[in-house]
């Protein structure tokens, strides 16, 4: 990987994710999109909920966790944390990002509520899986 280009891309990605996160926190924190942190203790009971609306609360919480995890890995990756070499292909980070996007955009019936063009990122999933497998095989 070309270090200067890679650092530039990581910096840009990190900046855009921070802007996205700050906006989302101010706009949606405490709503059904970004539940209060204190409600995360109910994650398992939400996952096992009897109605789709209760399970949707779990999906939103898992979405936030995936997004925070992806952003944290990118942030730490930028600073060269050595154990993050496991994620050097970026496939795992992209998977977390896709999971965040999907789980944030599904309705209580489990179907995504995006326009057809919004489904394009999911075409990346097979390529991400192949990259992740290639990364593991190469090590």
């Amino acid at each position: 990987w070309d270090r200067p280009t890679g650092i530039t891309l990581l910096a840009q990605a990190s900046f855009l994710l921070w802007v996205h996160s700050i906006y989302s926190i101010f706009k949606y924190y405490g709503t059904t999109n970004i539940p209060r942190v204190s409600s995360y203790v109910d994650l398992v009971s939400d996952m096992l909920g009897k109605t789709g609306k209760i399970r949707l609360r779990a999906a939103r919480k898992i979405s936030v966790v995936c997004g925070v995890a992806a952003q944290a890995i990118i942030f730490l990756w930028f600073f060269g944390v050595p154990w993050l070499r496991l994620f050097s292909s970026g496939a795992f980070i992209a998977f977390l990002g896709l999971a965040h996007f999907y789980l944030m955009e599904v309705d209580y019936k489990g179907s995504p509520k995006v326009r057809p063009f919004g489904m394009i990122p999911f075409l990346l999933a097979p390529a991400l899986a192949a990259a992740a497998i290639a990364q593991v095989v190469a090590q």
Side-chain angles (χ1 to χ4, degrees):
W1 115 338
D2 181 24
R3 190 80 174 151
T5 302
I7 292 296
T8 302
L9 291 174
L10 279 174
Q12 291 171 350
S14 189
F15 174 75
L16 290 173
L17 287 170
W18 281 108
V19 169
H20 169 67
S21 298
I22 291 166
Y23 170 78
S24 295
I25 288 168
F26 279 108
K27 176 89 173 158
Y28 298 110
Y29 183 76
T31 68
T32 56
N33 285 339
I34 302 180
R36 295 190 177 279
V37 173
S38 58
S39 72
Y40 281 65
V41 296
D42 300 328
L43 179 61
V44 173
S45 63
D46 288 346
M47 288 171 65
L48 302 172
K50 295 191 185 304
T51 67
K53 290 187 180 184
I54 293 173
R55 290 188 301 275
L56 180 62
R57 292 192 308 223
R60 293 292 196 269
K61 292 172 187 176
I62 294 168
S63 173
V64 171
V65 169
C66 287
V68 168
Q71 187 167 349
I73 292 169
I74 289 173
F75 184 75
L76 294 173
W77 204 12
F78 180 76
F79 290 104
V81 175
W83 58 267
L84 289 174
R85 295 185 202 285
L86 175 65
F87 307 112
S88 62
S89 72
F92 184 68
I93 298 166
F95 170 77
L96 287 172
L98 281 173
H100 166 74
F101 175 66
Y102 176 78
L103 292 171
M104 192 57 74
E105 297 300 329
V106 295
D107 61 13
Y108 71 96
K109 296 176 185 174
S111 59
K113 55 180 178 163
V114 295
R115 294 182 183 105
F117 193 73
M119 300 302 282
I120 289 176
F122 298 108
L123 297 175
L124 290 173
L128 293 173
I133 291 168
Q135 174 83 23
V136 171
V137 169
Q139 290 179 353

